[in-house]
Amino acid sequence: MTRFQTTRTVPESVRRAGRRVGQSRVVPEEVPVALTYGGSTHAVMMATPADLEDFAVGFSLTEGIVADPNQIEAIDVVAEDKGIDLQITLKDAVNEALRLRRRHMAGPVGCGLCGIESIEQAVRSTPDVSASPLKLSDEDVVKAVGLLDGQQPLHSETRAVHGAAFYVPGRGLVAVREDVGRHNALDKLTGAAARAGFRGAQGAVVVTSRVSVEMIQKTTITGSPIIIAISAPTALAIRTAEEAGMTLVALVRGDEFEIFTHAERIERSEEGARPAARVSLTR
């Protein structure tokens, strides 16, 4: 496994108690990471240069390039002068499907999003996870976030990266990944969990970032029916989670949190049980 420097110590001038002093701070590295399939670059992401094999697998899964990690034959991590190239070799049938998909997408860019040429593609349909039997307790939600807080070494060192974790009831956090980008952290987590043999339907995704629609889309693709976040969701993320049958829990603070969709999956403790508050998406 190729390793790259993930942090750097930099000098700074700090104002404290009315005085400026010179000191140093540890900051995370951020480098261009290209995801290349069959010799053609599919996307370039600004990312933390860690867990790159997990990133390659997770990105391939959440972007619908592969349906299973076994459809990837090899991943070569190649260091370039100004970045990193993840050269991903797919099995023949999958590689041909991607080649045809690229040909179909060729043409003028429409809405300006990377690899997307229409608004319809940007607001893509998401898998339906409403049939999942997974349930968590109030205590599970609080425990999942509490565990994640103690398993983010890069964030503890820099205070500048996002975390994503996979929580399985009765087992705790089975995988944790970090990155300067919240989508990258989730992709790395997806790859790590899949490579370890876990299925999304077995647990909940826990993230430290706000919940945008892309986070919902990527989580449903993994098969997980629950996402738990420390920060707030967007209105589109809430609507998308509702339509996909996903439970969206956000703004977890200590033992308090807010459930925006499908609250029936979070079983209330007897103490303090109360009717769920109505959520309004308009002001």
Side-chain angles (χ1 to χ4, degrees):
M1 182 178 294
T2 306
R3 294 186 179 275
F4 297 92
Q5 185 173 345
T6 58
T7 63
R8 189 174 298 276
T9 302
V10 299
E12 63 175 353
S13 179
V14 180
R15 190 172 190 270
R16 295 282 188 269
R19 297 179 57 195
R20 286 196 183 184
V21 295
Q23 62 179 47
S24 61
R25 169 174 284 276
V26 177
V27 297
E29 278 289 0
E30 182 179 25
V31 301
V33 177
L35 294 112
T36 301
Y37 299 88
S40 298
T41 298
H42 185 84
V44 179
M45 313 294 288
M46 298 303 298
T48 303
D51 304 305
L52 295 170
E53 290 85 356
D54 291 337
F55 188 27
V57 173
F59 180 89
S60 300
L61 287 167
T62 64
E63 291 301 314
I65 294 170
V66 301
D68 187 280
N70 292 326
Q71 293 176 324
I72 298 175
E73 285 193 345
I75 300 170
D76 294 316
V77 180
V78 180
E80 305 285 356
D81 288 342
K82 295 184 178 180
I84 299 167
D85 189 8
L86 300 182
Q87 299 179 358
I88 304 162
T89 303
L90 304 175
K91 291 190 174 179
D92 289 343
V94 183
N95 191 60
E96 177 63 14
L98 179 59
R99 188 184 67 80
L100 293 174
R101 172 176 161 185
R102 283 202 187 107
R103 180 191 298 175
H104 175 72
M105 290 174 61
V109 175
C111 67
L113 295 178
C114 177
I116 293 175
E117 61 177 2
S118 71
I119 292 175
E120 287 73 19
Q121 287 177 318
V123 189
R124 59 182 172 175
S125 61
T126 56
D128 188 340
V129 294
S130 59
S132 173
L134 180 69
K135 290 184 181 293
L136 297 183
S137 66
D138 287 346
E139 289 77 11
D140 281 320
V141 172
V142 173
K143 179 181 179 182
V145 173
L147 289 172
L148 178 55
D149 186 55
Q151 295 189 38
Q152 299 175 80
L154 189 56
H155 180 68
S156 296
E157 192 175 14
T158 66
R159 298 293 172 184
V161 298
H162 293 292
F166 192 60
Y167 177 85
V168 177
R171 298 193 61 171
L173 299 184
V174 298
V176 179
R177 292 294 182 267
E178 299 178 277
D179 197 275
V180 291
R182 64 185 190 277
H183 303 107
N184 299 340
L186 181 52
D187 282 339
K188 288 179 178 181
L189 172 70
T190 300
R195 295 174 77 195
F198 290 99
R199 294 177 291 106
Q202 292 178 268
V205 168
V206 189
V207 297
T208 60
S209 65
R210 68 180 175 87
V211 185
S212 60
V213 65
E214 302 98 326
M215 302 294 279
I216 297 295
Q217 291 168 336
K218 286 177 179 287
T219 300
T220 58
I221 289 171
T222 71
S224 176
I226 302 174
I227 187 168
I228 302 169
I230 294 174
S231 297
T234 66
L236 181 56
I238 295 170
R239 292 194 297 271
T240 304
E242 178 65 38
E243 293 168 1
M246 168 176 281
T247 299
L248 168 55
V249 185
L251 295 163
V252 184
R253 299 289 187 273
D255 62 356
E256 298 182 348
F257 52 82
E258 301 177 24
I259 308 174
F260 290 85
T261 61
H262 297 281
E264 66 275 5
R265 278 207 191 87
I266 309 300
E267 298 178 331
R268 292 180 291 174
S269 57
E270 291 300 321
E271 181 181 356
R274 66 186 67 179
R278 183 181 297 275
V279 176
S280 174
L281 301 186
T282 61
R283 285 193 171 186

